[in-house]
Amino acid sequence: MDNLMLVSNRLPVSIERRKGELQFRPSVGGLATGLASFYKSYESRWIGWSGIPLDSITEAEREHIAKVLKRDYNSHPIFFTQKEVKNFYNGFCNKTIWPMLLYFTEHVVYDKIFWESYKHVNRLFCNAVIKNAREDEVIWIHDYHLMLLPGMIREKRPDSRIGFFLHTSFPSFEIFRLLPWRSEILKGVLGADLIGFHTYDYVRHFLSSVQRLLGHDCTLGKINTGERIIKVDTFPIGIDYKRFSQSTWDVNVQKEKNKWKKKLFGKKIILSVDRVDYTKGIPRRLEAISMFLEKYPEYRKKIIYILLAVPSREQLGQYKLLKKQIDELVGNINGKYGSIEWTPVLYLHRSLPFHQLVALYNTAHVAMVTSFRDGMNLVAKEYLASKPDGRGVLILSETVGAAKELGEAVIVNPNNIEEMVEALKTALTMPEKEQVKRNRVMQRRLEHYNIVRWAEEFIKRLHASKEYQRRMQAKVMTREIRKELVGKYRKSTRRLFLLDYDGTLVPFFGKPEEAVPSRDLLKMLARLAGDPQNELVLISGRDKDTMQKWFGELNIAMSAEHGAWIKNSSGEWEIISTLDTHWKNEVRPVLELFEDRTPGSQLEEKQFSLAWHYRRVDSELGLQRVIELVDDLSDFSEAYNLQVKHGDKTVELKNGDINKGRAAMHWVARNRWDLIVAIGDQWTDEDLFDVLPEEACSIKVGLSPSQAKYSLESPKEVRQLLKELVAEQ
Ligand code: ADQ
């Protein structure tokens, strides 16, 4: 994993001024903890915010910070002014995009100044990356602070290898669409080659937003922007498992444990560890503790709830209010149920050093992780890793990413206080054997897919994604290749052109009947066909009547309905072989039902095929219907030897022995051509490419896997190429 440049808002260390002195302290929080541990084991570099406002340090101090960070942490600091801290970090990051991504729409502030600052700071990061990263260095960008950065770097360095990982959840489209700058944010993220999320749900939501807001095709975790193919996948972050499990034997940890044991002698310890953030559900959890003591008085004096809460984003009003609310709730519970010898809630509002944290994890009988939302939640994993003897119970909210991996925990709905109360009862009474059984399964998983594995997997997939792009790109028809083809054209005298129509010579339209050829296109085709040394064949999936209406006057050869019909330039339409069409009467009602149930879809009937078009259907509904339709049609396809093909926003059924390749052979075999050019854009054209002789020039329109030799981006480029071929010399 050499040559890796990590980019995140925070560096693994933050700089603070205490009593006039600059201090370097480890940053707290999931991202910092997670990355710091794998970062140390690899030769990587890091770009991030120093944590101290630029206007509060002197030039000499700035240089000193940069020097120490480079020397001791292989890091390059970015400095923000107070204004940038206010509008970028406290503003757009924490008041706009954070609550948006975590479903707290009521806290979202929409402010143009924040947005401008977000763009500006992402630009600062971009400049720093361009300045510091080597050309061949892998750039791995982290989290919601830097969602524009992949796009900005891509613009400046198109060949960069860029990964992006989001540590929060990604909300459903209905939430994300509320953001005024949603498309810019998505486009920014799409600058990456690989985009990672913790869970498949977040991937789904992201793809759905990309599809609906930007209109890109998204299939099987791949986004086709028309220029590049980007992969999107799930990488549930792990922890440094051994560090936690092995530290439990450390002397300092043992000392800490003994202290706690003495202090809390005989009591069952319930623990929670969070940043003070409204997403973590701390007040609701305190209410559950209070209700538990009310409902089960026999547990009074027998339990202690340790609420370890690290201060976070304290300048923000929302967080100040939350802190106040927690203080009050803790006060109420302790006032109501506590006594001189027993305090039910022990509230530690600070960050603890590692050995103290592990000691607490190890001592606690129950850990309560009840966030309303959390991209993953590392605390749940750290707790389990700190339990080498397998004892202890984890209560886990179903709305955190970790719940997908830790299904053996006691799972709760964080909004349901009664359920949390009962979960506590279950946890406190769970037999040790059962605890160990559940924890061992989860521990094995965590030990295996640890933080290093997570990072390695991501980088491996990033390389694979780039490789895939490269394979696709190898086929792009460059200017040189086009020139070569023009040269070959001039030299040859027996040329065959096999051209598809929709998606190849013209782009797709909402309704198939709208794709009428323009006068310019007809003129160009007439010119191509007018040269006696050329044979031009249009091979389309369309019905023969439309083909005749649109191109009849050109006197060119044609094939309709994917090869069912053929027509020589001066001949009549002929059927390629006798074909049975009885199946249509049985299948038509099925497709009609889908047409009725799916607004915007359309049934097209051709002589030997039936097609259901869903280009104008809501993209998610369309895909859902395709799955249902293909399933419903499977019996028919077997019984009647039909082909069911899912093409570009179409599902089409046709006789099994019809295909464009078979039709093309009618012309390919007719002459000893010295140049064959075949162009198409869909799966049906693959049959055509399949029958061509080795030396033929096959061209695929669009970026997706194909056996064609070359690719062109769009119908516009195809027309341009044909124009170049027929141009006067
Ligand atoms: P966070 O929201 O910060 O992370 P989390 O995953 O729980 O949430 O990580 C918190 C980290 O801070 C843990 O490593 C924990 O040990 C540490 N910590 C918390 N309180 C502490 C205290 N008082 N003293 C010492 N250490 C403390 C974000 C996302 C998460 C996602 C991570 C990683 O919000 O959902 O899991 O990134 O991707």
Side-chain angles (χ1 to χ4, degrees):
M1 217 184 281
D2 290 355
N3 295 332
L4 174 62
M5 171 71 83
L6 288 173
V7 192
S8 66
N9 181 52
R10 275 296 170 99
L11 287 172
V13 276
S14 297
I15 292 96
E16 285 170 30
R17 192 185 291 284
R18 293 211 169 181
K19 294 183 190 149
E21 291 290 310
L22 288 180
Q23 286 190 0
F24 293 71
R25 299 159 64 86
S27 306
V28 183
L31 187 146
T33 331
L35 295 188
S37 46
F38 102 87
Y39 162 74
K40 272 187 229 143
S41 25
Y42 289 90
E43 273 299 303
S44 34
R45 302 190 291 154
W46 201 322
I47 288 185
W49 175 33
S50 63
I52 190 158
L54 185 59
D55 4 31
S56 71
I57 50 173
T58 63
E59 188 56 36
E61 283 176 324
R62 182 185 166 145
E63 276 171 25
H64 171 69
I65 291 171
K67 205 170 112 196
V68 174
L69 286 177
K70 183 147 197 241
R71 187 192 62 207
D72 299 346
Y73 300 92
N74 215 2
S75 298
H76 303 270
I78 307 256
F79 292 95
F80 301 161
T81 60
Q82 301 271 18
K83 204 164 136 205
E84 283 155 3
V85 174
K86 178 168 166 256
N87 294 327
F88 164 75
Y89 183 62
N90 290 332
F92 198 83
C93 292
N94 291 334
K95 286 189 186 157
T96 309
I97 193 91
W98 168 265
M100 176 62 76
L101 294 173
L102 286 138
Y103 288 81
F104 279 80
T105 46
E106 70 274 26
H107 292 338
V108 177
V109 177
Y110 302 103
D111 186 329
K112 184 99 193 306
I113 296 173
F114 290 175
W115 168 242
E116 290 303 326
S117 184
Y118 189 72
K119 285 195 286 187
H120 166 71
V121 171
N122 272 256
R123 180 71 57 206
L124 288 182
F125 271 88
C126 176
N127 295 342
V129 172
I130 298 292
K131 189 169 155 218
N132 290 293
R134 289 184 294 269
E135 291 279 343
D136 62 340
E137 201 156 6
V138 171
I139 301 164
W140 189 5
I141 300 162
H142 291 265
D143 229 3
Y144 62 96
H145 316 85
L146 300 173
M147 295 177 96
L148 299 175
L149 185 57
M152 288 177 173
I153 300 175
R154 175 77 50 206
E155 231 174 64
K156 294 210 169 170
R157 277 206 199 153
D159 294 330
S160 296
R161 216 168 264 254
I162 306 173
F164 178 82
F165 190 86
L166 189 72
H167 289 260
T168 63
S169 48
F170 194 92
S172 80
F173 167 69
E174 287 301 337
I175 299 283
F176 189 69
R177 72 183 310 179
L178 301 174
L179 192 66
W181 310 282
R182 60 208 184 174
S183 299
E184 287 93 326
I185 297 263
L186 292 179
K187 282 184 199 153
V189 174
L190 293 189
D193 299 301
L194 175 66
I195 302 164
F197 296 90
H198 287 306
T199 74
Y200 180 62
D201 281 341
Y202 310 156
V203 169
R204 254 184 344 105
H205 293 155
F206 178 74
L207 291 178
S208 148
S209 282
V210 168
Q211 215 163 28
R212 285 158 177 236
L213 294 169
L214 303 182
H216 295 322
D217 264 357
C218 303
T219 35
L220 299 170
K222 283 192 219 103
I223 301 172
N224 186 345
T225 66
E227 287 167 6
R228 288 160 49 248
I229 291 176
I230 298 146
K231 293 213 175 173
V232 184
D233 214 336
T234 309
F235 302 88
I237 196 169
I239 54 166
D240 189 347
Y241 188 89
K242 281 215 169 85
R243 183 166 177 242
F244 283 90
S245 62
Q246 288 173 357
S247 306
T248 50
W249 313 115
D250 182 273
V251 218
N252 289 326
V253 174
Q254 293 293 335
K255 264 194 215 152
E256 267 312 304
K257 267 177 62 178
N258 291 338
K259 261 198 242 161
W260 281 113
K261 274 199 182 133
K262 237 189 243 161
K263 192 167 171 188
L264 308 173
F265 180 74
K267 300 202 176 44
K268 294 257 183 189
I269 300 174
I270 300 158
L271 172 71
S272 70
V273 180
D274 329 72
R275 282 188 304 104
V276 178
D277 194 296
Y278 49 77
T279 58
K280 307 286 181 185
I282 302 173
R284 192 62 60 90
R285 197 187 304 142
L286 281 163
E287 285 174 44
I289 295 283
S290 174
M291 196 187 271
F292 178 79
L293 292 172
E294 193 58 44
K295 190 168 174 191
Y296 298 107
E298 64 274 26
Y299 279 94
R300 292 182 195 172
K301 300 194 177 161
K302 299 214 173 81
I303 61 162
I304 293 243
Y305 170 40
I306 302 181
L307 169 59
L308 174 57
V310 62
S312 178
R313 306 175 191 173
E314 287 183 302
Q315 299 90 330
L316 306 193
Q318 208 70 51
Y319 287 73
K320 278 186 197 141
L321 278 178
L322 176 65
K323 163 82 177 42
K324 202 163 154 250
Q325 196 188 357
I326 296 171
D327 289 349
E328 280 171 13
L329 278 166
V330 171
N332 289 347
I333 299 174
N334 285 343
K336 190 167 174 192
Y337 303 102
S339 58
I340 295 180
E341 72 275 21
W342 176 60
T343 310
V345 182
L346 203 60
Y347 178 25
L348 307 174
H349 183 236
R350 57 176 180 265
S351 174
L352 289 190
F354 183 73
H355 70 279
Q356 289 188 19
L357 184 66
V358 178
L360 263 181
Y361 280 144
N362 187 256
T363 313
H365 298 92
V366 179
M368 277 188 99
V369 174
T370 58
S371 311
F372 290 124
R373 291 276 165 190
D374 229 324
M376 172 55 75
N377 192 289
L378 298 180
V379 168
K381 297 187 170 185
E382 292 169 0
Y383 173 70
L384 291 169
S386 309
K387 293 285 188 188
D389 66 7
R391 285 181 302 169
V393 181
L394 172 65
I395 296 178
L396 187 60
S397 150
E398 64 189 24
T399 40
V400 309
K404 301 271 175 238
E405 287 168 89
L406 306 177
E408 290 79 7
V410 178
I411 304 288
V412 293
N413 174 347
N415 290 300
N416 188 340
I417 298 187
E418 285 82 9
E419 196 179 36
M420 284 198 268
V421 169
E422 290 317 308
L424 258 179
K425 179 84 194 319
T426 308
L428 291 167
T429 51
M430 189 182 284
E432 278 192 3
K433 216 170 142 198
E434 171 73 11
Q435 297 176 18
V436 175
K437 194 172 123 205
R438 289 177 181 227
N439 291 342
R440 287 290 180 237
V441 182
M442 297 191 275
Q443 286 173 332
R444 262 197 299 278
R445 230 173 271 149
L446 296 178
E447 191 169 10
H448 177 71
Y449 197 83
N450 57 29
I451 183 77
V452 173
R453 183 113 197 221
W454 168 80
E456 280 178 350
E457 197 64 28
F458 186 91
I459 300 295
K460 207 165 88 195
R461 298 295 283 278
L462 174 56
H463 285 303
S465 168
K466 204 67 194 169
E467 192 44 46
Y468 181 77
Q469 281 177 6
R470 205 160 276 160
R471 275 209 314 275
M472 300 309 298
Q473 264 170 7
K475 292 190 173 174
V476 169
M477 216 173 181
T478 57
R479 190 189 292 263
E480 287 67 41
I481 300 172
R482 288 214 308 264
K483 248 177 151 175
E484 227 174 83
L485 182 66
V486 174
K488 225 170 173 183
Y489 178 87
R490 304 250 187 273
K491 277 195 233 128
S492 47
T493 53
R494 289 183 306 275
R495 318 171 189 119
L496 173 64
F497 285 85
L498 300 160
L499 308 181
D500 168 51
Y501 181 65
D502 295 273
T504 297
L505 291 173
V506 290
F508 283 104
F509 288 79
K511 292 183 181 171
E513 60 270 23
E514 286 169 354
V516 186
S518 66
R519 211 181 297 166
D520 264 4
L521 177 60
L522 288 172
K523 239 161 89 185
M524 209 245 310
L525 292 176
R527 212 147 151 213
L528 194 63
D531 185 331
Q533 297 180 332
N534 290 348
E535 171 91 72
L536 170 60
V537 188
L538 283 188
I539 301 196
S540 166
R542 283 191 178 262
D543 65 89
K544 74 173 188 352
D545 295 340
T546 307
M547 298 281 286
Q548 185 62 30
K549 192 165 97 195
W550 286 355
F551 306 104
E553 287 194 358
L554 291 181
N555 271 334
I556 54 172
M558 288 187 268
S559 165
E561 293 198 28
H562 304 294
W565 291 95
I566 54 172
K567 174 188 171 299
N568 289 318
S569 48
S570 53
E572 294 298 315
W573 285 99
E574 296 166 44
I575 294 176
I576 208 158
S577 61
T578 21
L579 295 165
D580 177 18
T581 55
H582 283 95
W583 59 268
K584 286 208 301 187
N585 297 334
E586 300 228 14
V587 176
R588 192 181 303 107
V590 177
L591 291 175
E592 278 168 352
L593 187 66
F594 272 79
E595 190 183 23
D596 292 344
R597 284 174 61 216
T598 320
S601 75
Q602 200 182 354
L603 172 61
E604 187 192 359
E605 176 148 3
K606 305 175 207 175
Q607 203 148 355
F608 297 106
S609 65
L610 287 173
W612 179 73
H613 299 273
Y614 66 98
R615 183 164 301 280
R616 287 178 305 134
V617 174
D618 173 277
S619 50
E620 280 198 1
L621 176 64
L623 287 175
Q624 180 55 39
R625 287 284 189 267
V626 168
I627 297 169
E628 294 169 23
L629 181 58
V630 171
D631 192 40
D632 284 4
L633 293 176
S634 62
D635 286 347
F636 295 103
S637 59
E638 263 178 46
Y640 294 104
N641 180 28
L642 303 176
Q643 300 177 48
V644 181
K645 293 276 189 166
H646 179 204
D648 194 346
K649 309 280 187 224
T650 320
V651 174
E652 184 148 13
L653 275 115
K654 58 188 173 86
N655 280 74
D657 33 12
I658 299 180
N659 70 60
K660 284 189 178 179
R662 190 165 166 204
M665 279 313 287
H666 177 76
W667 287 280
V668 172
R670 248 167 109 161
N671 204 337
R672 290 185 47 214
W673 307 104
D674 45 17
L675 176 66
I676 299 178
V677 178
I679 316 181
D681 69 304
Q682 284 197 42
W683 50 269
T684 53
D685 300 306
E686 294 300 316
D687 293 332
L688 166 61
F689 300 145
D690 208 24
V691 299
L692 299 177
E694 178 58 32
E695 62 283 3
C697 172
S698 48
I699 303 170
K700 157 98 180 170
V701 185
L703 286 172
S704 58
S706 165
Q707 55 187 319
K709 268 190 196 152
Y710 305 111
S711 77
L712 282 172
E713 212 171 86
S714 62
K716 197 168 150 205
E717 284 201 355
V718 175
R719 293 199 301 270
Q720 182 56 36
L721 173 73
L722 295 177
K723 237 182 232 163
E724 280 172 38
L725 292 178
V726 294
E728 301 285 346
Q729 293 171 60

